[in-house]
Amino acid sequence: MVCFGAGGHARVVLDALSLIGREEPVEIVGLICETATSQSVLGFPVLGADADIAAISQRHKATHFVIGVGSVRGGSTLRPQLYGLALSVGLEPLTVVHPSAVVSPSSTIGHGTVIMAGSVIQAGTRIGNNTIVNTRASIDHDCRIGDHVHIAPGVTCSGNVAVGCGAHVGVGATVVEGLTIGDGATVGAGAVVIEDCASGSTIYGVPARVHQSR
């Protein structure tokens, strides 16, 4: 497999893969990155830029990929673009679940999604494709998390929360039960969300209020 990205988020993904590989071998042939500042990351070589993915995959006989690029706000298109690019050259997305995560057997995890260390995914939750559930995030029962979402470290989503495609829920935010975070919305770090958040809006504070709308 190949990993897109060569920064901090990529290193965390690579760590998770190394732990998974102790029980189920995963061969990482290298990293794909436009702006890498070194020739290798954690011992894995940087193989080239995004545009070279087809040639790199063929040369190294890669079959799968993972996105090791994070996001800092809603509406970011880089992760979806990389996901689509990899699919277009015939690679399959690898779903990564850190061994320390607690994932209910009645939950559903989409293709290419990464569940980081210490996360909890409770019963009946559905998580889409190419989504990040970051370190120690808690997603309670029957939540619906869309594609290309970033649930940042320490987030708490109570039961029956819906998070739309491309949304970003910032570090340590709390979303009370039954609310909807719209497509492409941004929830600021530490926010306490007590009402629905419209698509494309930015919401932060305690309690959270809308401060910008696209």
Side-chain angles (χ1 to χ4, degrees), residues 44-132:
F44 298 105
V46 177
L47 302 174
D50 301 342
D52 304 322
I53 182 61
I56 290 170
S57 299
Q58 185 174 21
R59 185 185 318 130
H60 294 276
K61 296 181 171 59
T63 58
H64 290 74
F65 73 95
V66 67
I67 306 296
V69 177
S71 66
V72 294
R73 60 184 176 83
S76 173
T77 59
L78 179 56
R79 285 178 54 83
Q81 287 173 350
L82 293 175
Y83 190 80
L85 176 63
L87 292 177
S88 73
V89 300
L91 295 177
E92 296 182 30
L94 184 70
T95 300
V96 179
V97 179
H98 193 283
S100 70
V102 178
V103 179
S104 167
S106 68
S107 64
T108 302
I109 310 298
H111 302 297
T113 284
V114 178
I115 310 295
M116 294 299 195
S119 296
V120 178
I121 313 295
Q122 295 285 27
T125 286
R126 302 193 305 274
I127 298 178
N129 301 324
N130 191 32
T131 282
I132 305 167

